[in-house]
Amino acid sequence: MNANVELSIEPNCACCRDLLAAEPSGRWHGRSLQEWRRTTRGELGLAADRPIVATGHQTMLWHPGILAKYLMVEALAAGGDRLGTANLIVDQHTRAFGRFDVPLRRSDGSLAVHTIMLTLRREEVPMGRHPAFAPPAVPMDLPLALPLVQSGIERIFAAVAAHRHAGNAALQMAAALADLMSRWVSPMINVTSTGLMNTSLARGMLEQMADDPRACAVRYNDAVRAVPEGGVSPLAITRDTVELPLWRIGPDDRRRRAYDGDVRRWLSHGAADVVLLPRALLLTAIVRVGMCDLFVHGTGGATYDRAMELWVRDWLGIEPCPIAVATATLRLPLAGHEDDRLDLSLAVNAQRWLWHDPDHSAGAARPGPTKQRWLEQINAAPRRSRQRRALFGKMHAQLAELRRGRGDAIQAARQRTQRAARLAADAPIINRRTWAFPLYPDEMIEALADAVANAAMPGPANGIRPAAMAGPPRRSPATVTAAPASDSGCGSGSPESAPPRGAVEQSPPAPEPRTGCYSFGRGRTEGSH
């Protein structure tokens, strides 16, 4: 299979290696940033004698755009530069994690999206507070749009079931994802958001919050307002309380916003009295100040992390480690080749022309000869006259006779319009890039891995090796273009209601890929109609 891989990596991998070699500078809280980094890594069980490149995401079933981040970490670590790697498990995430979508083909040939449930989540409860689970039986009777998707479904169920005895759902899904990626990504050391809160660096940041919560929140709000495209909400500041960038976990395990009083209790009594977890910007601040030398984001994380950089620079007077951005687009081969160029508006117009003017020549601007003769006679007759009305009736009688003679052509035009309408309705599903990566053919993921590995070799300054320069691929051919599409980052997310089973909804349009480079340093069925 000749996979079309749209890949963007910024900055190029040679620059990333230079950035990894740079030592942090500056001081905070009476210690150098180098010392903070050594201490944090020791507390997390990470190597302190080599640079570390890290990435991370919510432990849902990722699409290939998220997988590209892990492939980039793998490519950098395989470059012989003696790098360590780390995987951030965002275990304070509360959105649905126990489900994934698959494409179906209805009996009429149209596409639909079906949601397969692995487990049911508790509303507002972080994944790290959910117990691990045993998935149900693998569904075997779905009318899948592509037979190969069934093997991907079975791999997902097997990987999730293999880790049903993990400490919690976040660790279970992280281990399942590691198994599913193992053909392309080597094992990485896992670090959880919960574990980061046990570091001296996290405690130091919370101490500074408690000392002057208003200063922390004001600078945070200034930063998020400066980057509105990041989608981060400002903190609430009142005369009596100040919201801070943390989640407080209640006795029912539900996630709630945290305030200055919660931070003081945590500092005084520890997690036995109040459980706090970092929100998105605090999470990446701890990671990029203390855990790693380079963090690989998706496009969404790279956007909101610009606000984090502004915040810690203004609030703490320090610079976090640099980032790289990796993203990719792969689409399942769902379009039929014979219909992939059908245009609905052209098909509708052609059908209308054929019905209202059966001997009209395709593409001609004027009516066909029969209708043209009648129109000339009608235009010559007096307006509102019986003669004009009679001519009009005779014209339509002859057009009806012509239609009977062209019945096969009219039926073919109607069927073509129906196929074009179905294709237009299916377009959001055909263009979707967010299917779980195990559902893709192995050769497509191989092509993505090849494209990322080739980009990690010495090459053009934009970090992308065009296919013409890449030479023989290691596994399979890939077309590489610098056309990124948006990915979410490693933030804490927002609540998402579980959809009712069996509901049929219109599929949302797929977002258009954005072109250009990124600035470095920052059970339900949906029908297609």
Side-chain angles (χ1 to χ4, degrees):
M1 178 179 295
N2 189 2
N4 185 3
V5 178
E6 299 173 13
L7 172 67
S8 177
I9 293 176
E10 177 68 21
N12 67 71
C13 291
C15 289
C16 289
R17 291 190 174 93
D18 292 340
L19 294 169
L20 281 161
E23 293 283 349
S25 61
R27 297 181 64 82
W28 173 72
H29 233 50
R31 301 164 72 180
S32 70
L33 292 187
Q34 285 180 301
E35 187 177 352
W36 277 114
R37 192 166 290 180
R38 284 194 297 270
T39 299
T40 303
R41 290 180 181 177
E43 292 168 342
L44 296 173
L46 299 172
D49 62 345
R50 67 196 67 185
I52 289 180
V53 58
T55 190
H57 202 76
Q58 296 92 338
T59 51
M60 303 177 292
L61 290 160
W62 303 319
H63 59 80
I66 304 301
L67 179 62
K69 301 191 304 183
Y70 288 82
L71 293 171
M72 182 177 177
V73 171
E74 175 74 10
L76 289 171
D81 295 324
R82 197 169 175 266
L83 300 178
T85 62
N87 174 40
L88 174 62
I89 299 175
V90 185
D91 63 350
Q92 79 273 38
H93 172 69
T94 61
R95 288 187 181 178
F97 58 87
R99 67 189 196 201
F100 61 98
D101 290 345
V102 295
L104 304 184
R105 181 80 66 180
R106 292 193 181 104
S107 58
D108 64 357
S110 64
L111 293 172
V113 177
H114 177 74
T115 299
I116 293 177
M117 303 299 296
L118 293 169
T119 189
L120 295 176
R121 70 186 178 101
R122 294 165 58 202
E123 292 287 336
E124 289 298 328
V125 174
M127 286 185 70
R129 313 291 289 191
H130 268 277
F133 57 91
V138 179
M140 302 297 294
D141 56 352
L142 294 173
L144 297 169
L146 297 169
L148 59 88
V149 169
Q150 182 65 39
S151 63
I153 295 172
E154 293 170 9
R155 287 199 298 268
I156 289 171
F157 272 74
V160 173
H163 298 283
R164 63 188 179 277
H165 300 302
N168 56 58
L171 295 175
Q172 177 186 16
M173 292 300 292
L177 285 161
D179 288 352
L180 293 165
M181 293 191 298
S182 62
R183 181 169 174 177
W184 306 281
V185 178
S186 302
M188 301 166 66
I189 296 177
N190 291 324
V191 175
T192 65
S193 303
T194 299
L196 286 169
M197 288 298 293
N198 296 323
T199 63
S200 302
L201 177 61
R203 185 174 187 87
M205 289 185 177
L206 266 65
E207 287 173 349
Q208 188 149 336
M209 288 182 191
D211 287 344
D212 193 345
R214 196 169 300 270
C216 171
V218 167
R219 287 165 172 77
Y220 182 100
N221 290 349
D222 289 344
V224 300
R225 290 188 182 108
V227 190
E229 61 272 26
V232 180
S233 301
L235 302 172
I237 303 173
T238 69
R239 189 172 69 176
D240 300 321
T241 61
V242 177
E243 182 185 353
L244 292 170
L246 294 135
W247 298 112
R248 176 174 60 85
I249 308 303
D252 58 357
D253 286 333
R254 293 181 184 273
R255 196 178 74 173
R256 296 170 175 82
R257 296 179 183 276
Y259 296 86
D260 52 329
D262 298 314
V263 172
R264 293 189 183 96
R265 284 174 55 206
W266 185 87
L267 290 168
S268 299
H269 305 290
D273 187 59
V274 57
V275 177
L276 296 180
L277 295 175
R279 282 157 72 171
L281 301 196
L282 178 59
L283 173 63
T284 55
I286 298 170
V287 168
R288 289 178 56 193
V289 170
M291 189 177 96
C292 61
D293 297 273
L294 180 73
F295 191 85
V296 180
H297 263 306
T299 56
T303 299
Y304 72 64
D305 234 18
R306 284 161 38 211
M308 183 277 288
E309 293 166 1
L310 294 173
W311 173 47
V312 298
R313 189 178 299 136
D314 192 25
W315 176 47
L316 302 178
I318 58 177
E319 292 288 339
C321 80
I323 66 167
V325 183
T327 186
T329 291
L330 272 72
R331 295 183 176 90
L332 285 173
L334 296 172
H337 297 298
E338 71 280 1
D339 289 341
D340 58 1
R341 285 194 171 93
L342 279 178
D343 183 281
L344 180 58
S345 61
L346 293 178
V348 168
N349 287 339
Q351 181 186 346
R352 286 173 176 169
W353 270 111
L354 194 57
W355 178 263
H356 294 289
D357 190 1
D359 62 354
H360 170 261
S361 298
R366 293 174 57 82
T370 302
K371 191 169 188 177
Q372 182 63 37
R373 286 194 300 271
W374 283 108
L375 291 175
E376 290 171 356
Q377 294 180 55
I378 292 169
N379 288 335
R383 295 179 65 83
R384 297 190 178 88
S385 65
R386 290 184 178 180
Q387 179 189 2
R388 191 181 181 101
R389 286 195 296 272
L391 290 169
F392 187 80
K394 290 179 181 179
M395 178 187 73
H396 278 282
Q398 188 167 7
L399 292 176
E401 185 177 346
L402 289 173
R403 278 196 290 271
R404 285 191 289 274
R406 301 208 63 189
D408 291 344
I410 291 172
Q411 178 64 17
R414 182 180 294 116
Q415 291 174 349
R416 186 176 178 83
T417 300
Q418 290 171 348
R419 290 199 308 273
R422 189 185 71 200
L423 187 66
D426 288 346
I429 299 175
I430 292 171
N431 293 325
R432 179 170 174 169
R433 62 184 286 273
T434 56
W435 309 105
F437 75 85
L439 303 181
Y440 288 75
D442 283 348
E443 53 264 41
M444 292 185 74
I445 304 301
E446 295 278 357
L448 175 60
D450 281 330
V452 176
N454 287 337
M457 300 176 187
N462 65 358
I464 303 298
R465 278 183 74 82
M469 299 179 60
R474 294 179 297 123
R475 306 180 185 91
S476 56
T479 301
V480 185
T481 57
S486 178
D487 297 317
S488 59
C490 66
S492 54
S494 59
E496 177 183 80
S497 300
R501 291 192 179 188
V504 178
E505 300 177 3
Q506 181 77 16
S507 296
E512 289 295 323
R514 295 177 290 171
T515 58
C517 292
Y518 298 96
S519 297
F520 148 69
R522 44 148 189 83
R524 174 184 61 144
T525 301
E526 294 179 359
S528 59
H529 64 270

